[in-house]
Amino acid sequence: MERNSTNGLIKELRGRSIFLIGMMGSGKSSTGPVLAEILKYKYVDLDELIEKLTKKTIDKIFIEEGEKYFRDLETQCLQEIIKFPSTVVSTGGGVVLKKENWGFLRQGIVVWLDINQQVVIERLDQTKSDSRPLLKGKNVKLMYQEILEIRKDIYAQADLRVEINNEGVKSIAEKIIRALKEKIKN
Ligand code: S3P
């Protein structure tokens, strides 16, 4: 990545934060820190922040308090995060569900990591983690497709859509940078 042109982009961004949205497993949390480093931005992972504040895993929050409680926490945290400029934020896949959240997301640039379904289903099947209660004990493929069907039109409201297959985080971050440059040019 050419340094001068990245410096130009950073200037053009004028401190606007970048929100990474997309389905579970699309690479938001792994790409976010790399993107932040390139842009010399701060980095926040929304799920991690919630886990730190509550001292509970996402899974435990869903079990003990329920999804609505988690969604409300998500909104409260987002409301705080937007106070900080120049931040890359990796959101949880369901952050797009509440209309209210879009009011916050729109204060920055919203980037949809639109990952190839086959790639992500294989990935999710292999890495069952405590942060994905919606898939726990379910047929991952069916559940994933069901959730995507509900959300895909909402994700499509992002400012930028970046198609992802099986590339590594650095390539994804560079794709995002290219998309941002393209957007800013127009
Ligand atoms: C969720 C996605 C998860 C986490 C929670 C709910 C969702 O985050 O916020 O399990 O509704 O899609 P990731 O997208 O980082 O897996």
Side-chain angles (χ1 to χ4, degrees), residues 14-17 40-43 84-88:
R14 286 178 280 110
R16 274 174 294 176
S17 288
K40 304 185 189 90
Y41 266 33
K42 299 178 280 297
Y43 175 69
F84 300 93
S86 310
T87 306
V88 172

Side-chain angles (χ1 to χ4, degrees), residues 61-181:
I61 301 172
F62 268 67
I63 293 170
E64 292 183 356
E65 329 277 354
E67 182 170 348
K68 183 178 180 308
Y69 181 86
F70 170 76
R71 298 291 174 207
D72 288 344
L73 275 178
E74 211 173 27
T75 301
Q76 279 168 34
C77 288
L78 194 57
Q79 194 169 7
E80 291 307 312
I81 289 170
I82 56 149
K83 293 177 185 161
F84 300 93
S86 310
T87 306
V88 172
V89 184
S90 299
T91 63
V95 80
V96 296
L97 293 173
K98 271 202 201 171
K99 228 176 171 180
E100 182 186 354
N101 291 348
W102 278 92
F104 303 131
L105 297 171
R106 288 273 182 236
Q107 297 189 31
I109 299 176
V110 185
V111 181
W112 174 24
L113 302 192
D114 184 13
I115 189 157
N116 175 288
Q117 257 199 71
Q118 209 172 326
V119 172
V120 75
I121 287 166
E122 268 170 36
R123 196 184 284 175
L124 288 170
D125 243 344
Q126 285 158 10
T127 56
K128 299 214 168 72
S129 96
D130 266 3
S131 68
R132 302 205 169 106
L134 295 179
L135 300 178
K136 215 167 86 175
K138 305 264 171 55
N139 176 321
V140 170
K141 186 174 180 190
L142 289 182
M143 197 60 195
Y144 187 89
Q145 286 169 337
E146 202 175 294
I147 297 173
L148 180 63
E149 197 47 43
I150 296 168
R151 294 183 186 169
K152 64 176 193 260
D153 291 344
I154 316 180
Y155 288 135
Q157 291 169 29
D159 298 301
L160 291 174
R161 167 172 169 255
V162 175
E163 270 186 69
I164 293 162
N165 288 293
N166 219 350
E167 54 271 74
V169 286
K170 194 153 184 280
S171 304
I172 301 174
E174 284 172 358
K175 262 190 179 178
I176 298 172
I177 295 284
R178 279 197 294 278
L180 285 167
K181 283 182 184 165

